[in-house]
Structure formats: C-alpha cells, structure tokens
Amino acid sequence: MSTNSIDSVDFFDRLATMMNADSTRYELLGDIDLELAMVMRRPDEEPFRVLLGFHGIECETVAAIDEGAEQAAECWIEGDLANWQAMFDNIASDGRATGEWTLNTLTIMGDRIQLKASDPMGWDKFHRFNQTLQDFVDASARVGKEETSDVSA
C-alpha cells in the first residue's frame, strides 16, 4: 500500500467512490446513517482528520476537518498513523482485514485505535454499522485498480 497515502482526503474519496459504485454489496448490508470522523496521529506533524458522511448505501461526504471538529461527528476513531497503516497493509495483503486488524477488534481492544463518542448513541451506531464500515475500509485493497471520481468536491 506504499503508493497510496492513507492520510489524505484523496484516499478516502477513492474509497467513497468505490462504495458508491457498488450498490449491490452495500444493499445487502442495509442503510447506514452515520457521521464518522477518523483521526490519524502523525509522528511529527498535525494529525490528519477526515469526516465521512454515510447515508443510505453511500458515502456522501469526505472532508478534511480541523482539530476538535471530530467531536461534532457522531463518533470518531483515533490512533497513531503507524497503527492505521498496519491495518491498511493487512487489508492490502489479504484482500480484507483479518484477525486483530478488523475495525471491531481494534476498537474493542482500544490499545491501537480507539472509538470515541460524545454520547452513547454514537458509540452504538458505530457498532451497529460496523460491517458496512469494515467493507468500506476493506475496499482499500482495490485502491489504484479503480476509476477515480470526486466525492469530496
């Protein structure tokens, strides 16, 4: 995955474009209604923050956000960039997250990537829509092999 920078809006825009083009896969999982932020703490610079807005069977919003703005999302997941990279590397090598690298395992253990929410409903929605979110990040195994679009525009 070294050719695709995971700490960029472009990377998540590509994932959103792939989700939006694959309605058959996401219809099986059902509708999602969630504003999720991801925070990747970089070693020597400001953390990367992105807001993802999932509605129906699409990711309609991909936007960089400022420090603290993640708290306005229904929930956010946060961890060091190295842990995020390890998760996406696992996805790239196996075609999907396996074992300790699934979003569910990472957030339940909470030692590498933490789930945070301002209220219990955000926490609940993350777990309720977990399989859709996992499929969303698992699509990164195909990044670089798909047509590009512009969800973030």
Side-chain angles (χ1 to χ4, degrees):
M1 193 92 142
S2 57
T3 60
N4 300 304
S5 178
I6 64 168
D7 56 338
S8 69
V9 170
D10 179 61
F11 178 78
F12 286 96
D13 186 58
R14 293 170 90 177
L15 294 181
T17 298
M18 290 190 305
M19 178 182 189
N20 298 346
D22 195 0
S23 61
T24 302
R25 172 187 302 264
Y26 293 96
E27 282 175 350
L28 292 173
L29 297 170
D31 286 358
I32 181 173
D33 182 27
L34 179 67
E35 296 290 324
L36 171 71
M38 293 184 169
V39 179
M40 299 179 181
R41 295 185 301 264
R42 299 170 176 148
D44 296 322
E45 55 186 299
E46 285 294 311
F48 169 70
R49 292 175 173 83
V50 65
L51 177 67
L52 304 171
F54 298 95
H55 304 285
I57 57 170
E58 294 187 340
C59 181
E60 296 178 350
T61 305
V62 176
I65 55 175
D66 294 327
E67 180 178 357
E70 65 272 10
Q71 295 178 31
E74 292 174 281
C75 59
W76 67 98
I77 44 181
E78 181 173 347
D80 292 340
L81 180 59
N83 290 319
W84 285 103
Q85 187 65 60
M87 179 190 79
F88 282 109
D89 287 347
N90 173 259
I91 292 167
S93 68
D94 294 339
R96 63 182 177 82
T98 59
E100 65 185 311
W101 296 108
T102 66
L103 288 174
N104 191 49
T105 301
L106 287 165
T107 57
I108 286 175
M109 297 304 292
D111 57 342
R112 298 180 195 159
I113 295 176
Q114 299 81 39
L115 170 61
K116 300 180 179 185
S118 299
D119 65 53
M121 184 59 79
W123 190 279
D124 176 69
K125 288 176 86 172
F126 176 83
H127 290 289
R128 185 180 329 148
F129 300 126
N130 184 267
Q131 190 58 55
T132 299
L133 299 172
Q134 189 64 60
D135 279 17
F136 178 81
V137 297
D138 283 352
S140 66
R142 299 185 311 275
V143 165
K145 302 171 186 144
E146 81 292 348
E147 296 291 320
T148 58
S149 182
D150 220 0
V151 174
S152 62

